[in-house]
Amino acid sequence: MSASEENKKSLTERDICTKFITPALVAAGWDLQSQLREEVTFTAGRVIVRGSQVTRGEARRADCVLYYKPGMPLAVIEAKDNNHSVSAGMQQALAGAEVLDAPFAFSSNGDAFLEHDRTCRQGVVEREVALTAFPSPSELWRRYCAAKNLEPAEQAVITQDYHADASGKAPRYYQQIAINRTMEAIAKGQNRILLVMATGTGKTYTAFQIIWRLWRARAKKRILFLADRNILVDQTRINDFKPFESAMTKIANRQVDKSYEIYLSLYQAVTGTEEEQNIYKQFSPDFFDLIIVDECHRGSAAADSAWREVLTYFSSATQIGMTATPKETRDVSNMDYFGDPIYTYSLRQGIDDGFLAPYKVVRIDIDKDLQGWRPSAGKLDKNGRLVEDRIYNQRDFDRTLVLEKRTELVARKVTEFLRLTDRFDKAIVFCEDIDHAERMRKALVNENADLAAINAKYIMRITGDDNEGKMELDNFIDPESRFPVVVTTSRLLSTGVDAQTCKLIVLDQRIESMTLFKQIIGRGTRIREEYDKFFFTIMDFKKATELFADPDFDGDPVQIYEPGEGEPPVPPEDGVAGDAGPDGSAQPLPPEHGGKRLKYVIDDVPVSIVAERVQYYGADGKLITESIRDYTRKSVLRQFCSLDVFLHAWSKAERKSAIIAELEKRGVLLEALSEEVGRGLDPFDLVCHVAWGQPPKTRQERADNVRKRDYFGKYSETAREVLNALLDKYADEGIVPIEDFTILNVQPLSEIGTPLELIDAFGGRDQYLQAIRELEKQLYVA
């Protein structure tokens, strides 16, 4: 081996990128500013929840991504150091290319490249490429277009620039895929397109970028964006669609101005009876050449719906449906109209990537819901009506029969949860109907009389029939607005309302539709770190969360907890498994009276809570009972197969904080573990004790043991003073702070001297670092 080859073997992976890979790419014509990005992180890292503690898992990244133009990835490159083969990084590169929808993947160790052509269906899929022969941007683009049969005119459409935001906002990787696939489909002449994206993943921003690129390319000149809620149209106009400025208008008051190019409309504003003369007929059938239907599951899915009538009228236009929950039933279908989705980004994927908030489930079973209730002979309700003699069960409660004490119990448990967490966390309570929502509002006001007296808007009902409540909707979803805090509703808030800081969703509504269930769950999936919103809780009183077991559900909860009578509704760190009784059988609804469903109101039947269980979803999707200790033990053993392996890694690590950070990335929540096992323990002792049963020492005990050995004698007086102060810091705060130079700026070290003076007391920077390593060795001596 020559000296140069030996030197190459000593280089790090990062050095190989800097000295060999990047120069080869630049020499091939790749622009450093617009086409080449190194160390690209494209997910946020899953939010991991254990107890009340949260951390983030490791974000996914690629060593290098090559773009034909910004937002259009062509290749993913994975680098390895020169002790690996050229092909060693290929599997990582392929995994990254698949996620980013990039057609090419490369691996390199600095000697050459291995190329994998993901567009190639036959012939040579992989080939080795010399450093000096890396393909240029135009060559990779030509090969991609040839594989896709893209004509020059089609290429002109799909290479149209994204909108560049002055704030630096850019589409996330999955939004790029949805946008790029849509552009390509339209360029190839596809006129019915379906995009499925989970609630909270930015469908409106995705729609904006699609419209922007098509509009700027003049491929689509007049565009209609339809939504089903007025607030959605207004939010869209002032937020994501703002760059359209004077080219955009909102259709309102059934008036049409045909001088605009971008039209936003509430779909109800362009439909109606023939007597109202549907406004859309004021446009010619070929006026629009692009229509985007937001939340298309709500209207256009049904063949006889108002939206379908509008879409049929403008049948010559390219039509894009966007939804989080495509509807597929015997009578209703998105896919029948739009075709199969060209891209799906699921709730599960959004949670795994860390872009959506995970959630806990608190299941509360009420005795009458499980056992049913039968009135005694001649039983009269609160209003003097004779109650029909039959067994009433969960299907009946709050629909045909009201147990007032049940409503009060639900309100009490919701309030108890908020008192144990934060009474100003935004919460939505989903009720069976408007009457139930009003009774729940009243019960919650009585449970929270102190805060309701301070501000009457602390608890409000927001339903379709209540204008005062609807006027407060904007304030409820505004993170900056404190009131309202708790709202009761039936269906109004189930879709399209961007309640970004909602931390509690209460289900006191029987839900049997997967579409509705996913939409309701979506009210809490936004992450807002600046408001400490990393996860949310679903409190289920009606067994709605049994839909988690449905194979169509695509996002498992991180925990299920069923408190029993007298138990707090906030899950403890450990739980005890228990069994819940079966649901009662369905009973026919009573006949309608006067156009309204007859409801019996019973005010003297006691109710209580039964069952308790704490469970987590495992990696296989099955429920398991697991404590913080169990989870930690499994996580540690996945990384370190034995105590010896862990001890070796700990002793060899130059910075113990690196191992601690890696553990936390894998979901080991040391703070939560410390609260359970014992405060004052070092992460080293926590791990050794929980994973391998080793007797732990406190940090103070470890610090005292170091002092007993009197190994400081070889240092100067000032250096000894520094080391003693660092031992005190370790005993108080742990190992991580003493590995950071900034500790020298903190009292009492700052009183001994300046950081430079303290380092000089050891003979310089290298000697100071060596002293810290020796100190750590003494702390963790066998």
Side-chain angles (χ1 to χ4, degrees), residues 479-592:
E480 300 293 333
S481 180
R482 196 169 201 188
F483 299 100
V485 176
V486 181
V487 300
T488 65
T489 189
S490 55
R491 292 294 183 95
L492 187 64
L493 302 185
S494 65
T495 183
V497 175
D498 194 10
Q500 299 177 24
T501 56
C502 179
K503 291 187 179 181
L504 176 64
I505 291 175
V506 179
L507 302 179
D508 200 24
Q509 177 185 117
R510 189 172 178 86
I511 302 168
E512 296 175 309
S513 159
M514 179 59 71
T515 296
L516 178 59
F517 182 58
K518 284 186 177 181
Q519 290 292 331
I520 288 176
I521 298 303
R523 298 316 101 212
T525 53
R526 274 70 170 179
I527 290 177
R528 289 299 297 267
E529 295 189 17
E530 65 272 35
Y531 293 95
D532 196 32
K533 164 73 183 298
F534 291 92
F535 68 94
F536 66 105
T537 301
I538 301 168
M539 183 177 283
D540 180 16
F541 291 91
K542 288 282 182 80
K543 287 186 173 292
T545 53
E546 289 183 349
L547 285 168
F548 290 142
D550 192 305
D552 288 337
F553 192 73
D554 60 5
D556 299 328
V558 297
Q559 182 185 17
I560 293 183
Y561 167 50
E562 295 185 3
E565 182 73 40
E567 296 287 339
V570 176
E573 299 295 343
D574 292 83
V576 181
D579 295 321
D583 189 13
S585 59
Q587 298 289 341
L589 292 175
E592 302 291 318

Side-chain angles (χ1 to χ4, degrees), residues 193-250:
I193 294 168
L194 181 63
L195 291 174
V196 177
M197 298 173 66
T199 301
T201 57
K203 291 191 295 294
T204 307
Y205 178 66
T206 300
F208 160 72
Q209 288 285 5
I210 291 169
I211 295 171
W212 176 269
R213 293 178 68 190
L214 290 169
W215 181 62
R216 296 284 291 185
R218 305 312 290 163
K220 302 296 178 184
K221 299 176 182 178
R222 286 197 289 253
I223 295 133
L224 175 63
F225 179 84
L226 288 170
D228 72 327
R229 295 282 168 84
N230 201 47
I231 187 172
L232 291 179
V233 176
D234 292 337
Q235 285 177 345
T236 298
R237 185 179 185 184
I238 64 176
N239 294 326
D240 288 328
F241 279 37
K242 188 176 182 181
F244 289 126
E245 296 178 337
S246 59
M248 172 178 58
T249 188
K250 175 185 174 183

Side-chain angles (χ1 to χ4, degrees), residues 61-74:
R61 58 175 294 279
D63 288 334
C64 180
V65 180
L66 301 180
Y67 299 83
Y68 182 64
K69 297 184 72 173
M72 300 181 65
L74 272 180

Side-chain angles (χ1 to χ4, degrees), residues 662-683:
E662 184 62 29
L663 286 168
E664 290 178 338
K665 281 181 182 178
R666 294 173 182 267
V668 176
L669 298 171
L670 295 167
E671 182 65 28
L673 192 64
S674 176
E675 290 179 3
E676 182 174 312
V677 177
R679 289 198 164 274
L681 295 182
D682 189 280

Side-chain angles (χ1 to χ4, degrees), residues 197-363:
M197 298 173 66
T199 301
T201 57
K203 291 191 295 294
T204 307
Y205 178 66
T206 300
F208 160 72
Q209 288 285 5
I210 291 169
I211 295 171
W212 176 269
R213 293 178 68 190
L214 290 169
W215 181 62
R216 296 284 291 185
R218 305 312 290 163
K220 302 296 178 184
K221 299 176 182 178
R222 286 197 289 253
I223 295 133
L224 175 63
F225 179 84
L226 288 170
D228 72 327
R229 295 282 168 84
N230 201 47
I231 187 172
L232 291 179
V233 176
D234 292 337
Q235 285 177 345
T236 298
R237 185 179 185 184
I238 64 176
N239 294 326
D240 288 328
F241 279 37
K242 188 176 182 181
F244 289 126
E245 296 178 337
S246 59
M248 172 178 58
T249 188
K250 175 185 174 183
I251 297 176
N253 302 320
R254 299 195 171 271
Q255 297 299 313
V256 167
D257 184 340
K258 300 179 183 178
S259 64
Y260 293 91
E261 295 179 81
I262 312 294
Y263 292 79
L264 307 182
S265 178
L266 186 69
Y267 85 87
Q268 293 93 332
V270 293
T271 59
T273 63
E274 287 299 323
E275 291 75 18
E276 291 175 309
Q277 296 183 339
N278 290 330
I279 190 171
Y280 69 87
K281 293 185 177 178
Q282 297 181 41
F283 296 101
S284 64
D286 61 354
F287 183 84
F288 294 109
D289 44 23
L290 175 65
I291 298 176
I292 295 185
V293 185
D294 191 26
E295 304 290 0
C296 66
H297 64 280
R298 288 181 62 82
S300 60
D304 59 352
S305 73
W307 280 12
R308 182 66 69 89
E309 187 178 338
V310 175
L311 297 181
T312 301
Y313 182 79
F314 295 115
S315 60
S316 63
T318 297
Q319 297 173 2
I320 302 172
M322 305 188 78
T323 181
T325 50
K327 232 180 212 183
E328 296 299 317
T329 68
R330 185 183 64 183
D331 303 312
V332 176
S333 173
N334 283 123
M335 295 179 190
D336 175 62
Y337 185 81
F338 289 105
D340 292 335
I342 64 170
Y343 183 62
T344 297
Y345 188 71
S346 67
L347 173 63
R348 184 191 301 275
Q349 190 62 53
I351 293 174
D352 284 345
D353 286 344
F355 295 124
L356 295 181
Y359 47 92
K360 298 179 179 183
V361 174
V362 176
R363 282 183 179 166

Side-chain angles (χ1 to χ4, degrees), residues 125-200:
V125 177
E126 290 193 357
R127 66 186 181 116
E128 191 166 301
V129 179
L131 285 180
T132 56
F134 193 87
S136 66
S138 58
E139 181 183 345
L140 284 189
W141 179 251
R142 177 188 58 76
R143 289 165 57 188
Y144 173 73
C145 291
K148 291 284 190 175
N149 297 315
L150 292 169
E151 300 296 332
E154 296 166 351
Q155 295 177 39
V157 174
I158 66 178
T159 57
Q160 175 62 45
D161 290 340
Y162 277 81
H163 177 265
D165 193 289
S167 68
K169 181 180 180 180
R172 292 170 173 167
Y173 85 87
Y174 62 85
Q175 294 169 335
Q176 284 183 0
I177 296 172
I179 296 161
N180 291 338
R181 287 192 184 180
T182 301
M183 295 292 292
E184 194 169 300
I186 291 174
K188 296 293 290 182
Q190 185 173 331
N191 283 323
R192 299 292 180 268
I193 294 168
L194 181 63
L195 291 174
V196 177
M197 298 173 66
T199 301

Side-chain angles (χ1 to χ4, degrees), residues 456-457 460-475 484:
K457 294 179 179 179
M460 294 197 75
R461 170 169 63 94
I462 301 181
T463 50
D465 70 325
D466 188 270
N467 288 331
E468 185 175 353
K470 287 192 291 186
M471 287 173 62
E472 291 298 323
L473 181 56
D474 283 356
N475 288 328

Side-chain angles (χ1 to χ4, degrees), residues 589-598:
L589 292 175
E592 302 291 318
H593 289 256
K596 295 183 179 180
R597 184 190 296 118
L598 174 64

